[in-house]
Amino acid sequence: MATDSADDALTGAVGALGARFVLHWGEMGARWGVSRTVSQIHALLFYLGRPMHAEEIAAVLRVARSNVSTSLRELQNWNLIHVVHRAGDRRDHFETAQDPWALLRILVKERKKREFDPTVAFLRACVDSKEFAKEDAGTQKRLRETLALMEAGATWAEQMLGMENSVLKRMVKLGAKVQSLLKAA
């Protein structure tokens, strides 16, 4: 019965479609290596499009207040939410960007900073180390090519992050058509 009351609280707050969205986003988050609660909170804030305080989030999702606090800190560390204040209410309210392209930019920037950049630095250190020259030619080639790929990817990500949304959207829509443009050039 606890699941029924949790489903009722969520459905009451966001409707049946919203509940499916929040639950699905939680499942996807778990597959992406993010906790289910973190993902559900972000989905709830995005879906509703309005600031919420931690107690309200806990009540809607039917999760412990301490879990909500920890999840909100993680979302803040990822720059996916920020605190807003409401007149007459001393509690912190949290909101997220409502533009999916802005969220994509945040995620790419944060993932690059946390995952990609350290890997590039590690590979650079490997290639620059004294031990590298002692490795066989095949290993050296694979590491150099991996470093070159990672550096190119990092440069590409920075360039994409620097584009205006309108340009980025047009580029994404081009998809595989980019091949024909490159062949013609």
Side-chain angles (χ1 to χ4, degrees):
M1 281 302 175
T3 302
D4 290 341
S5 65
D7 290 344
D8 291 346
L10 180 57
T11 302
V14 296
L17 178 63
R20 288 197 318 267
F21 178 83
V22 169
L23 294 174
H24 175 77
W25 210 250
E27 292 301 319
M28 292 310 300
R31 292 179 186 167
W32 296 327
V34 179
S35 91
R36 180 176 286 117
T37 304
V38 167
S39 299
Q40 287 179 346
I41 290 171
H42 188 256
L44 179 64
L45 293 170
F46 179 78
Y47 191 86
L48 285 178
R50 66 172 176 83
M52 297 177 75
H53 57 78
E55 292 80 14
E56 182 182 14
I57 294 168
V60 168
L61 294 178
R62 304 288 286 209
V63 295
R65 175 65 172 78
S66 59
N67 193 353
V68 170
S69 293
T70 301
S71 297
L72 288 170
R73 273 193 303 279
E74 185 170 342
L75 286 165
Q76 285 177 301
N77 289 338
W78 277 83
N79 294 313
L80 285 168
I81 64 170
H82 61 274
V83 174
V84 294
H85 293 99
R86 294 267 171 107
D89 191 343
R90 296 190 318 171
R91 295 175 291 196
D92 288 340
H93 290 70
F94 301 89
E95 68 179 2
T96 188
Q98 297 301 297
D99 175 11
W101 288 92
L103 291 172
L104 176 67
R105 286 175 184 282
I106 293 167
L107 288 171
V108 168
K109 182 178 179 182
E110 291 296 323
R111 287 244 181 225
K112 181 182 174 301
K113 178 175 74 176
R114 295 162 188 259
E115 298 164 14
F116 219 81
D117 292 347
T119 302
V120 169
F122 172 76
L123 287 167
R124 170 61 50 210
C126 286
V127 169
D128 291 344
S129 72
K130 293 177 187 174
E131 298 96 342
F132 185 72
K134 297 175 187 172
E135 296 296 327
D136 67 77
T139 300
Q140 288 183 22
K141 180 178 186 279
R142 286 189 300 277
L143 288 180
R144 278 193 190 101
E145 288 176 351
T146 302
L147 175 60
L149 173 64
M150 297 289 289
E151 288 175 334
T155 300
W156 180 81
E158 288 296 328
Q159 291 170 349
M160 296 303 111
L161 288 170
M163 287 184 181
E164 302 245 350
N165 276 353
S166 60
V167 174
L168 189 55
K169 287 176 187 179
R170 285 194 322 244
M171 195 181 93
V172 169
K173 283 184 181 180
L174 279 174
K177 294 176 190 171
V178 170
Q179 282 182 338
S180 60
L181 294 174
L182 292 174
K183 287 177 184 175

